[in-house]
Structures are given as C-alpha cells and as structure tokens.
Amino acid sequence: MYTQLYMLCQTFDQVTVPGQDVQNVVIPTMEDYYLAAQTLNDALINAFGQQYTVLAQESISALDSAFEAYDSAFRGGKTTQEAQNAMQSCMDMVRSILETRFRDGVLRAA
C-alpha cells in the first residue's frame, strides 16, 4: 500500500517536467497506482477492519474528482491547470497520509 501511494505521488511529480506525455503516460500510470492502492485499501479493511483504512471515502472522492478533471480537460481540449491544482492538493493529502499512517513503511492502525 505504501509503495503504491508513494509511486502515485512520485509519478505526479512528472507532470511539470518538460517533454512528459501527461495525457498518455503520466496520468494513466497514476491511475494504475491509484487503482492498486484502492484494491489494497479494500483488502486491508476486509481483512483487518476499519482501523486499517488508509484511504478514507473523502480521500477517494477527492482523488476521483481530480482524475475526472484531467479527463474532462483532455476531452475538451482545455488547459489542465485546474486539474493539476486539484491533483496537487490530493498529492499533498496522500503525502500526509504516508507520513501519519506509516512508520518505516509499516501501516499503523488508526
């Protein structure tokens, strides 16, 4: 779980690197990490209970909205600045989760 969320953040950091294909590489790669994190989050909850929830529903909703903002901008041929701002807020949230919920890469119960 830690690795998936960490890589989600690391991949997002590539958005501002010149020459990166944000639409076809960066965002789809982020979506893969996000899907894996969601799957692991559900598995943790099912196996160990709600105290092991890493991505709360509010976090999932925010991330879903940020990904939808990118999708909408790409489909509409619009700037992705709003989507990037929303995703930056989400990545700040994910980094905070990584710092508070994990110690040396090991998940702590809430």
Side-chain angles (χ1 to χ4, degrees):
M1 180 77 174
Y2 180 90
T3 301
Q4 301 306 313
L5 293 174
Y6 178 80
M7 290 306 299
L8 175 69
C9 294
Q10 292 296 100
T11 305
F12 176 71
D13 291 344
Q14 298 301 306
V15 166
T16 58
V17 174
Q20 289 295 316
D21 187 346
V22 174
Q23 182 174 1
N24 296 309
V25 176
V26 176
I27 297 302
T29 301
M30 287 178 64
E31 288 173 326
D32 289 344
Y33 287 122
Y34 176 51
L35 178 61
Q38 280 186 300
T39 301
L40 291 168
N41 191 60
D42 291 343
L44 285 168
I45 294 167
N46 290 333
F48 302 109
Q50 289 295 326
Q51 69 270 25
Y52 284 93
T53 300
V54 175
L55 293 175
Q57 189 56 49
E58 303 83 42
S59 302
I60 292 170
S61 294
L63 283 158
D64 287 346
S65 292
F67 279 113
E68 288 170 15
Y70 268 108
D71 186 53
S72 178
F74 293 145
R75 280 187 286 113
K78 299 178 182 175
T79 179
T80 58
Q81 190 58 53
E82 252 184 64
Q84 185 176 335
N85 293 343
M87 190 62 79
Q88 181 63 60
S89 293
C90 290
M91 294 303 100
D92 293 343
M93 170 195 61
V94 170
R95 284 183 172 101
S96 176
I97 290 168
L98 290 173
E99 290 175 15
T100 58
R101 294 300 310 279
F102 293 87
R103 176 148 306 161
D104 298 323
V106 177
L107 177 62
R108 298 182 300 178

